[in-house]
Amino acid sequence: MSVADDLRELSLGRAAVYVVLLLVGAFYLAPLESGLMTAIKTQDAFFSSTPFVPPFGDGFTLEPWYEAWAQMQGPLSDFSGALYNSAFVAIPATVLSGLIGSVAAYGLTNLKWRGQAGVLMLFVAGMFVPYQSVLVPLTRFWTIVGLQNYLAAVPFLQSRVGLIELVVTHTAYGIPICTILFRSYYANFDESMLEAARIDGATFTRIYRRIIFPLSKPMFAVVLIYQFTQVWNDFLFALVLVSSPTNEVATIALNKLQGSMVQQYNVQMAAAFIAALPTLLVYVLFGEQFAEGVAGES
Amino acid sequence: MAELTLDNVTKVFDDNGSDIVAVDDVSIDIADGEFLVLVGPSGCGKSTTLRMIAGLETISGGEIRLDGDVVNGKPPRDRDIAMVFQSYALYPHMTVKQNMSFGLEESTDMSDGEISSLVTETAEMLSISPLLERKPGELSGGQQQRVALGRAIVRDPKVFLMDEPLSNLDAKLRSQMRTELQRLQEDLGVTTVYVTHDQTEAMTMGDRIAILNDGVLQQVATPLEAYHQPANLFVAGFVGEPSMNFFEMEVRDGRLVGDQFDYPLSEETLAAVGDADRVTLGIRPEDVQLVDEGSGDHDFGTVVDVVEPMGNENNVYLGFATDGPADFVATIDGMRTLEAGQPVVARIPESAIHLFDTETGAALRNRSLDELEETEPNL
């Protein structure tokens, strides 16, 4: 066999690989593509064509996006709307559970004290309690607490009491997984580095602030992305805890679109994309650190 | 600067209910400005001892005093000590300058300006000024080592603790840093406790060395004392490279009787042996002389097994039997050529032998230093 034959065989093999890759890629992207095509079609075009075929001529419209935006959010300047409410819940819940998880992991990993193992067990156990099983106790809990009475002095917060309950609930629910993630990261820290800091005169809080925290950036990216996606996409807690229609979060608003008399598939699809956009944005923003954190570099 | 006293210091680790004694009743007085090397095989408790001085391990028994003050219960930050770690333990997210400033920022009320000028000064002393704005990840091992030293020096502590600081460096750099560390310590005059398993470091760097085995202090002495006047069998075997040769012997009728040879003793030596009936005879490789012809009771016919040329000297492994394994080592001049299989006469001079009680390991008689003192008047 000549070199040319070798090359031909090689390129044939490569071509086959690419064809397979393309097919697999198309298979995975098909639902997304169909959704996007549906969102830019008129209702008539949707009914007269297959979902994944792009719209032609009169069939093309951006109207569903305007309508979806109006229903999901409305004007941004109002400080209300479902997307705004979702952000109001997701951002504090993510940041809080990340911070608390990080501090807890530091205390459970890098400091030595009696009963540590038991406390860690409790944290881990928290991860295995399913959402559904706590729904009733959770609503009872918030009824007994009566948060709105405490917030009477601040009308801005009082009117959003359901959202604040969501923030606290999601923070609590996020702490175990955040703690475990940070713990595995901190366990790989060089112990003598922390000892050096102790000898250098730093207290344990100063060690956290000046050494542990700055070195945790990659893991914070992981936790922020994961936790933000969890909270943003949560439907169950929001459904149970939020009663006022002005406090609807994105997942609830999305669900309501489906409930109307006439199914507007294009508007539903556009709304779904709008609701998914923030999580995508967070991933793009923290993607690099995310990769670093997952790879376990410190 | 300070005196450091270890008074019956003991450390017991709890290992699932059973107690493990890591450091057993160790007492050492370390004088102001002294360079003390803690040396011993791995697991002998030397690092644990150092960590107890640092306050990183609790003390199970005894007292550690710094300038007369008991520091047992004090956290590390209140002890005014600085430590250099084997892994350097630099803060990876900070620049060299920030690494060196950290301790001063945390433990003193100095202004930023004062800290900055101190750091600059120390960096100059260690010739790491050009590295001040870099991060540890961008530095070589030797440079990181210097930064770790600088971080300790800049704090001007009462005591330096060093935990095998040179063992991550390559051989050439290690010997260079060894000299430099010694010079620095002399210039600064700070009391230093230095832990190592490397007996070359122990011999060359310390004012005194403390030899530990299994948590028990074997001997505290100057390097030469430990070499020539070892307190027991362990010290004799641990200090020196190649190690001292040992032969187990029985004392019978004023002679030492062994499996391979008999060794007559003088009255004086016999008196030192006392009533011990099993002794271990020790002789340093460089004290074994290879002579052309046997002429006395202390000359023995041997056969060369292996020759290790070291350049300036040769290590010759000798066996009593013609085809057996080597029984002992002799160090001879590097220019003298010997070949494997060649018969030679080994002389073991009585003035150079060490005798140890085989049961207790205690030294019964160490070599006489008379002739050494003649050749080395500065000893």
Side-chain angles (χ1 to χ4, degrees):
Chain A
M1 270 211 293
S2 69
V3 178
D5 287 338
D6 280 347
L7 273 176
R8 197 167 305 132
E9 200 164 286
L10 194 73
S11 55
L12 264 178
R14 292 224 111 188
V17 168
Y18 281 124
V19 168
V20 171
L21 284 179
L22 275 173
L23 285 175
V24 173
F27 179 76
Y28 275 104
L29 287 175
L32 206 61
E33 193 265 356
S34 304
L36 193 63
M37 290 309 133
T38 305
I40 54 172
K41 275 180 198 172
T42 59
Q43 191 80 338
D44 289 343
F46 173 74
F47 283 121
S48 59
S49 65
T50 331
F52 59 80
V53 177
F56 296 103
D58 288 347
F60 175 82
T61 174
L62 286 179
E63 200 51 45
W65 290 83
Y66 297 127
E67 196 170 325
W69 181 261
Q71 298 218 24
M72 296 279 291
Q73 173 55 36
L76 274 175
S77 53
D78 285 1
F79 292 110
S80 63
L83 286 179
Y84 172 83
N85 287 340
S86 272
F88 185 90
V89 173
I91 293 171
T94 304
V95 172
L96 280 176
S97 50
L99 277 177
I100 297 172
S102 154
V103 173
Y106 169 56
L108 287 167
T109 313
N110 307 105
L111 303 179
K112 304 269 167 286
W113 42 280
R114 223 171 261 278
Q116 207 163 19
V119 175
L120 181 66
M121 287 295 288
L122 283 177
F123 272 85
V124 177
M127 281 202 307
F128 299 105
V129 181
Y131 279 23
Q132 293 83 345
S133 70
V134 297
L135 287 181
V136 176
L138 189 68
T139 42
R140 282 286 297 150
F141 171 80
W142 284 119
T143 315
I144 294 166
V145 169
L147 197 59
Q148 62 274 22
N149 303 329
Y150 297 102
L151 298 174
V154 195
F156 175 82
L157 293 178
Q158 197 191 22
S159 62
R160 289 170 175 79
V161 67
L163 297 178
I164 293 171
E165 288 172 1
L166 264 186
V167 169
V168 177
T169 308
H170 277 301
T171 303
Y173 239 93
I175 288 172
I177 180 72
C178 293
T179 308
I180 300 301
L181 284 172
F182 277 112
R183 190 180 137 80
S184 66
Y185 193 64
Y186 293 165
N188 289 327
F189 276 8
D190 178 11
E191 188 125 356
S192 53
M193 174 182 71
L194 302 178
E195 288 174 347
R198 280 170 66 194
I199 291 177
D200 264 348
T203 58
F204 72 99
T205 43
R206 297 282 296 170
I207 293 176
Y208 178 78
R209 266 188 50 202
R210 295 200 59 187
I211 297 186
I212 301 275
F213 184 74
L215 286 175
S216 305
K217 272 188 214 153
M219 204 23 97
F220 267 108
V222 174
V223 163
L224 288 187
I225 289 178
Y226 176 82
Q227 196 57 14
F228 185 86
T229 313
Q230 286 282 313
V231 178
W232 186 273
N233 290 341
D234 163 67
F235 176 69
L236 200 54
F237 281 162
L239 188 68
V240 174
L241 291 180
V242 173
S243 44
S244 153
T246 55
N247 282 347
E248 272 173 11
V249 294
T251 45
I252 304 284
L254 198 57
N255 187 51
K256 260 171 82 182
L257 280 178
Q258 209 186 10
S260 43
M261 296 290 261
V262 186
Q263 292 285 352
Q264 289 178 289
Y265 294 105
N266 49 4
V267 177
Q268 280 176 32
M269 283 304 152
F273 277 105
I274 290 171
L277 221 52
T279 51
L280 205 65
L281 205 67
V282 168
Y283 193 88
V284 170
L285 284 178
F286 297 106
E288 205 172 307
Q289 285 96 328
F290 180 80
E292 228 177 89
V294 171
E297 290 167 27
S298 59
Chain B
M1 280 186 263
E3 281 169 36
L4 180 64
T5 310
L6 278 69
D7 198 352
N8 299 100
V9 172
T10 300
K11 176 71 190 182
V12 182
F13 284 110
D14 177 51
D15 183 44
N16 288 327
S18 64
D19 288 346
I20 293 173
V21 181
V23 178
D24 193 357
D25 213 16
V26 167
S27 298
I28 311 173
D29 285 312
I30 303 156
D32 186 10
E34 184 175 357
F35 195 123
L36 181 98
V37 177
L38 270 177
V39 67
S42 3
C44 71
K46 55 190 192 297
S47 282
T48 309
T49 307
L50 194 77
R51 291 170 59 82
M52 282 193 285
I53 302 173
L56 297 172
E57 298 281 356
T58 55
I59 300 161
S60 312
E63 269 182 5
I64 293 178
R65 288 190 293 272
L66 193 54
D67 260 349
D69 296 333
V70 179
V71 295
N72 284 32
K74 281 191 186 176
R77 63 172 175 280
D78 295 336
R79 297 193 182 193
D80 197 10
I81 43 166
M83 185 157 166
V84 180
F85 292 84
Q86 181 178 353
S87 64
Y88 314 138
L90 299 173
Y91 314 124
H93 58 299
M94 298 184 191
T95 62
V96 168
K97 189 168 187 174
Q98 288 166 334
N99 262 284
M100 288 173 68
S101 314
F102 186 84
L104 291 174
E105 287 165 3
E106 293 297 330
S107 63
T108 67
D109 317 322
M110 282 186 201
S111 70
D112 289 355
E114 285 172 291
I115 291 177
S116 177
S117 67
L118 258 178
V119 168
T120 318
E121 206 177 289
T122 311
E124 250 161 51
M125 180 165 78
L126 290 161
S127 9
I128 49 172
S129 303
L131 310 176
L132 280 177
E133 297 308 321
R134 297 221 212 140
K135 291 200 174 161
E138 303 162 41
L139 306 179
S140 70
Q143 290 169 330
Q144 292 188 32
Q145 169 66 63
R146 275 163 194 276
V147 176
L149 272 177
R151 191 172 63 177
I153 291 171
V154 79
R155 287 193 36 217
D156 189 22
K158 282 185 180 167
V159 179
F160 282 140
L161 304 177
M162 306 202 182
D163 191 3
E164 313 224 6
L166 304 184
S167 54
N168 284 0
L169 301 177
D170 62 64
K172 183 120 184 149
L173 200 53
R174 196 182 312 157
S175 66
Q176 201 181 319
M177 282 304 287
R178 214 160 55 205
T179 335
E180 192 166 329
L181 250 178
Q182 258 178 296
R183 184 180 56 74
L184 270 173
Q185 199 269 342
E186 259 167 51
D187 290 353
L188 298 166
V190 176
T191 314
T192 303
V193 183
Y194 185 104
V195 161
T196 182
H197 65 271
D198 180 329
Q199 50 118 345
T200 317
E201 284 175 26
M203 291 297 287
T204 54
M205 299 179 80
D207 293 329
R208 283 192 303 160
I209 60 181
I211 299 125
L212 278 168
N213 186 34
D214 273 341
V216 179
L217 186 63
Q218 306 291 317
Q219 187 173 9
V220 187
T222 66
L224 283 183
E225 260 170 23
Y227 189 81
H228 294 299
Q229 310 277 312
N232 57 37
L233 203 54
F234 177 81
V235 175
F238 187 79
V239 176
E241 177 65 40
S243 317
M244 188 185 278
N245 299 296
F246 293 123
F247 305 97
E248 282 194 23
M249 312 290 260
E250 248 176 84
V251 186
R252 218 182 282 164
D253 307 330
R255 308 162 63 82
L256 299 179
V257 180
D259 292 343
Q260 281 134 331
F261 66 98
D262 289 0
Y263 195 92
L265 296 176
S266 67
E267 288 294 322
E268 199 190 330
T269 317
L270 264 178
V273 170
D275 51 5
D277 52 359
R278 294 195 61 81
V279 299
T280 300
L281 183 153
I283 179 88
R284 294 253 173 233
E286 68 271 22
D287 290 329
V288 178
Q289 296 162 9
L290 298 188
V291 293
D292 296 332
E293 262 179 70
S295 60
D297 294 343
H298 297 154
D299 294 349
F300 306 96
T302 59
V303 176
V304 176
D305 184 30
V306 176
V307 180
E308 279 181 355
M310 306 290 288
N312 60 335
E313 56 190 27
N314 289 329
N315 293 332
V316 186
Y317 291 80
L318 301 166
F320 289 106
T322 27
D323 51 357
D327 296 301
F328 65 111
V329 193
T331 303
I332 58 163
D333 190 84
M335 298 305 282
R336 192 165 159 192
T337 48
L338 284 175
E339 273 170 41
Q342 186 179 337
V344 289
V345 175
R347 175 173 294 165
I348 301 179
E350 193 174 344
S351 62
I353 64 165
H354 299 257
L355 293 174
F356 305 93
D357 187 321
T358 306
E359 263 169 52
T360 63
L364 300 170
R365 176 212 191 254
N366 278 314
R367 65 158 309 151
S368 110
L369 288 176
D370 298 345
E371 44 185 316
L372 286 173
E373 274 161 18
E374 274 168 34
T375 49
E376 295 172 66
N378 293 334
L379 197 81

